[in-house]
Amino acid sequence: MTPRGGLVDRFGRAHHDLRISLTDRCSLRCTYCMPAEGVPWLARSTMLSTEEIVRVARVGVDLGIREIRLTGGEPLLRVDVVDVVRRLTALTTPEGEPVEVSLTTNALRMPALAAPLRDAGLTRVNISLDTLDRAKFLQLTRRDKLVETLAGIAAADAAGLHPVKINAVAMRGVNDDEIVALTRFAVDRGYQMRFIEQMPLDGGHTWDRKVMVTQAEMLEQLTSAFTLTEVPGRGAAPAELWYVDGGPHTVGVIASVTAPFCGACDRLRLTADGQLRACLFSQAEVDTREVLRSDEPADVVDEGIAAAYRRCLAGKKAGHDIDDPTFLQPNRPMSAIGG
Ligand code: SAM
Ligand code: SF4
């Protein structure tokens, strides 16, 4: 039995949300995420087995985790992703409640996997779609896969993985003229559209504050086409939401750079190679792999994992300081952290 005690950081913030990266590999090469040649991949031997992932998650759930989001890289590239979902959705909180398991994906494997994932207990999905234009999709992701991505979105919808949320990173001169069109696409189908400010996390280190499309710029376009009404009660959600033309559909902006939500953040991250991170932008990581692979008795291993969670939280900073001149981009790219 894992020692309890809660996942509270030094600012008194309780943490309930664990993002687990299932792999750092990906089937696309989005320019804001990775260079064309990819990034140095994690060694296979360092990647957690499904057994190890479930164990770290179980200790987290005993300590207070209530939501798990699977991500990557591209999580659907993990061959046993359905089994991972089935085993994570079987976890229960100390109060006997189920844990909500969702997924962020590029959707390319969704046509084959949507129904099995739903049957394994997956509740909902966030799908990346940055453009509706085939040539731009090729330019942005370096792969000619718009048709397959749209089929993946439709498959997730048909399987009932609701609400389907669509994520787009707005890029100046690339897709920033599609903010209204993407929102219409989502609203017409009952999906929830989310625009994300580009963050300094790409493997190619190409981020430039000056060319980043800001929340203010996105809202200018949105309000020229729609009547937006603020949705109250944001809680710990990263996106600020507005009803589109009176609702019920919403559009959101994740303004991680110009309006960071660090004060309300209740997330922890586990990388595919077993490192716990308190923030996307952390320089520090706390290892779980060594204790997981030790010969210690089960209760000692569980205590070691619980200690890793606590050490990770103890190092959590008040905010990410992207706008501070001393800000340093983390060594790990987004694809190896788990977005
Ligand atoms: N491959 C999956 C996908 O694209 O949805 C999951 C992993 S991806 C790293 C998770 C999210 O991070 C995606 O919505 C993607 O658009 C976003 N993302 C990646 N690089 C980013 C960056 N530099 N700034 C902002 N968001 C980024
Ligand atoms: Fe792959 Fe997602 Fe990164 Fe695009 S954003 S390259 S789909 S991990």
Side-chain angles (χ1 to χ4, degrees), residues 2 15 42 68 75 95 98 100 138 149 211 234 240 258 288 322:
T2 308
H15 286 61
L42 298 173
I68 293 176
E95 298 78 33
E100 187 186 288
L138 171 60
T149 301
V211 297
R234 178 177 177 185
E240 203 170 336
T258 64
T288 64
I322 292 176

Side-chain angles (χ1 to χ4, degrees), residues 25-26 28 30 32-34 70-75 104-107 126-130 167-169 196-202 207 256 334-336 338-339:
R25 273 60 167 183
C26 192
L28 298 180
C30 304
Y32 52 73
C33 186
M34 317 189 182
L70 302 175
T71 178
E74 175 43 44
T104 300
T105 174
N106 63 27
N126 284 32
I127 299 178
S128 295
L129 175 71
D130 300 305
N167 291 344
V169 176
I196 309 175
E197 284 181 347
Q198 192 183 350
M199 296 181 275
L201 286 169
D202 60 306
W207 185 81
S256 316
M334 178 72 130
S335 53

Side-chain angles (χ1 to χ4, degrees), residues 28-31 130 136-143:
L28 298 180
R29 293 286 180 276
C30 304
T31 54
D130 300 305
K136 271 198 227 171
F137 191 95
L138 171 60
Q139 180 192 355
L140 233 153
T141 68
R142 303 187 178 102
R143 300 288 186 271

